[in-house]
Amino acid sequence: MKNAAIAHRSAILHSLGDPHTSGVENSYEYFEDGLLIIEQGIITHLGDASELLHRFPNIEVLQHHNKLIVPGFIDTHIHYPQTGVIASYGEQLLDWLENYTFPAEAAFSDEKHCDASAEFFLDELLKNGTTTALVFGTVHKSSVEAFFQAADKRHLRMIAGKVMMDRNAPENLTDTAHSSYVDSKELIQKYHGKNRLHYAVTPRFAPTSTPEQLQLAGKLLSEFDDLYLHTHLSENKKEIDWVAQLFPERKNYLDVYDHYDLLTPRSVFAHAIHLDDDECQRLAACQSSVAFCPTSNTFLGSGLFNLSKMQRHKVQVALGTDIGGGTSFSMLQTMQEAYKVCQLSGHQINPFKAFYLATLAGAQALKLTDKIGDLKVGTEADFVVLDLAATPLINYRMQRARSIEEQLFVLMILGDDRAIAETYSFGECVYQSNS
Ligand code: GUN
Ligand code: ZN
């Protein structure tokens, strides 16, 4: 790591809060000609280039022409072992799991496959500007070891966990309540809090865990500080009916998790499409978060996430790609799909809101705002250099954009991995496009 300070000069944008609560005008900070100064991986200054260069005339400056620097994207729900099932035809959730996903996950009993998949997955994340993700492994402990080791080698801030799954799945993919507890505990002791790594207790979803396993998941959360809880919730109608059959004594889907003490401020529930008011209120009361995964929800035909309802109930929402149910690693594409999903429900996501969901909201959901999610002084220098002329069409359209708001909208509608010029993690360049 470089010891001397380095300055990045570019247009720079970051979120200051949720546009829905603070008002759009107060929700961001934008420097048309900005300077971001970094020392030993930490942001030391952010401001107008002219003013900061006057104060630090001898600083080394990296100039980014026709670019926009934003915080690294945060993907709050993704499965690294499902990279190989992205774009699998024809099924909705439960058949998709059985026909595509479980066979692909079974291959992670092989450690070499885990290592190679983890490296490819991280390459894809970084090439899409995603610097932090909340990641599902498989039921195999070694899948998570491989992922953490690959992430640690690259000094990334990542959260992951071993799937806990002791029923209603193929035999070669099930653990037991006891073994899942022991394996998870060993992973926690080895990796949770190591460098930039964190552990998430990861029961797959209510139908694939016995009550005993869910109870042990809750026990793990009570035994260590700052663990995450990561699972799926209320994604698909058949899934919801199945949960009601399996847990008839619980009043709704969320109540299954609630009963086993799995609702904490560090709990992230993926999808949460078909929730009733009672479930929304409970999520808000527990300060738990939901991951809105729009490309997955449309691809698997799961339904339209109700962002307005979540806002009304003050539930923390962030964005997830849900690879391989989702169809793109790109958080720009995910913002585009979120916009379309909300259009179908009759309202528009402002580009600053979409951008907030992909950055600061992720850090809020993960309780990491002191470290990532914006470009405030004192936080870690995880950021992306977006190319405002990434393709001929983006360039053509961008020349007609009259404001940063419009530029942002063009990027989220037309952009994908081609719009990522460079990705930085802890001040170091970890991806650079060839063009
Ligand atoms: N519910 C349970 N497992 C999964 C999964 O792997 N993907 C999605 N989208 N939903 C799930
Ligand atoms: Zn998922």
Side-chain angles (χ1 to χ4, degrees), residues 77 79 82 93 96-97 101 105 136 204-205 232 235 239 271 296 300 322 325:
H77 180 65
H79 301 250
Q82 293 180 15
L93 178 65
W96 175 84
L97 282 174
T101 310
E105 293 194 8
F136 258 68
R204 177 170 219 116
F205 67 157
H232 298 92
E235 174 179 7
E239 170 211 12
H271 306 299
S296 170
L300 291 175
D322 192 30

Side-chain angles (χ1 to χ4, degrees), residues 323-426:
I323 296 295
T327 54
S328 174
F329 275 85
S330 168
M331 292 297 280
L332 294 171
Q333 287 281 293
T334 306
M335 289 153 77
Q336 180 205 138
E337 197 80 349
Y339 180 81
K340 291 177 179 172
V341 164
C342 290
Q343 277 283 48
L344 287 167
S345 311
H347 63 270
Q348 289 75 40
I349 301 190
N350 176 283
F352 288 115
K353 172 79 183 197
F355 171 69
Y356 158 77
L357 287 173
T359 56
L360 183 57
Q364 289 171 340
L366 300 173
K367 309 295 178 284
L368 289 173
T369 51
D370 58 328
K371 298 182 174 67
I372 55 171
D374 58 26
L375 301 173
K376 284 207 187 78
V377 168
T379 63
E380 298 170 350
D382 286 7
F383 63 94
V384 186
V385 183
L386 297 171
D387 187 349
L388 297 175
T391 68
L393 179 61
I394 291 176
N395 187 29
Y396 189 84
R397 175 64 181 85
M398 206 59 90
Q399 283 168 23
R400 288 151 180 83
R402 295 283 159 262
S403 63
I404 177 61
E405 184 166 1
E406 197 175 343
Q407 287 183 345
L408 209 50
F409 193 61
V410 172
L411 279 170
M412 70 182 247
I413 300 301
L414 298 179
D416 51 30
D417 56 332
R418 294 168 297 176
I420 310 300
E422 292 177 340
T423 304
Y424 286 78
S425 174
F426 214 64

Side-chain angles (χ1 to χ4, degrees), residues 15 17-21 74-77 134 233 264-265 267-275 279-281 283-294 297 304-321 331 334-335 337-339 341-342 347 349 352-367 369 373:
S15 282
D18 182 349
H20 178 71
T21 47
I74 299 176
D75 185 339
T76 58
H77 180 65
L134 176 56
L233 170 69
T264 80
S267 299
V268 178
F269 296 96
H271 306 299
I273 300 171
H274 308 284
L275 300 183
E279 289 171 297
C280 293
Q281 274 162 22
L283 283 170
C286 296
Q287 295 169 272
S288 298
S289 302
V290 300
F292 174 17
C293 305
N297 298 161
L304 301 178
F305 182 81
N306 194 335
L307 182 60
S308 306
K309 183 169 175 169
M310 294 298 165
Q311 287 180 163
R312 209 164 51 244
H313 286 285
K314 299 190 168 52
V315 176
Q316 176 73 54
V317 177
L319 279 186
T321 58
M331 292 297 280
T334 306
M335 289 153 77
E337 197 80 349
Y339 180 81
V341 164
C342 290
H347 63 270
I349 301 190
F352 288 115
K353 172 79 183 197
F355 171 69
Y356 158 77
L357 287 173
T359 56
L360 183 57
Q364 289 171 340
L366 300 173
K367 309 295 178 284
T369 51

Side-chain angles (χ1 to χ4, degrees), residues 167-235:
R167 65 167 166 174
N168 294 323
E171 209 175 314
N172 60 348
L173 276 182
T174 45
D175 50 18
T176 66
H178 178 71
S179 75
S180 71
Y181 172 80
V182 171
D183 284 353
S184 300
K185 196 164 188 161
E186 282 174 16
L187 288 166
I188 292 163
Q189 285 165 337
K190 192 159 169 193
Y191 295 105
H192 184 54
K194 180 181 183 202
N195 299 324
R196 303 181 82 200
L197 307 177
H198 312 257
Y199 195 82
V201 175
T202 309
R204 177 170 219 116
F205 67 157
T208 49
S209 286
T210 57
E212 192 187 357
Q213 186 169 60
L214 294 174
Q215 190 246 322
L216 288 174
K219 183 165 151 65
L220 283 170
L221 293 182
S222 71
E223 288 175 340
F224 298 88
D225 289 336
D226 297 340
L227 283 179
Y228 294 91
L229 182 284
H230 186 197
T231 191
H232 298 92
L233 170 69
S234 202
E235 174 179 7

Side-chain angles (χ1 to χ4, degrees), residues 258-279:
D258 203 359
H259 182 74
Y260 296 102
D261 297 324
L262 303 183
L263 272 66
T264 80
R266 283 185 158 76
S267 299
V268 178
F269 296 96
H271 306 299
I273 300 171
H274 308 284
L275 300 183
D276 62 27
D277 285 344
D278 186 67
E279 289 171 297

Side-chain angles (χ1 to χ4, degrees), residues 18-52:
D18 182 349
H20 178 71
T21 47
S22 65
V24 170
E25 286 314 306
N26 301 318
S27 76
Y28 68 93
E29 192 170 33
Y30 175 60
F31 303 95
E32 196 174 338
D33 179 14
L35 204 72
L36 184 69
I37 304 184
I38 294 155
E39 215 171 324
Q40 301 198 13
I42 301 294
I43 296 170
T44 59
H45 300 82
L46 169 67
D48 282 317
S50 57
E51 189 245 323
L52 284 172

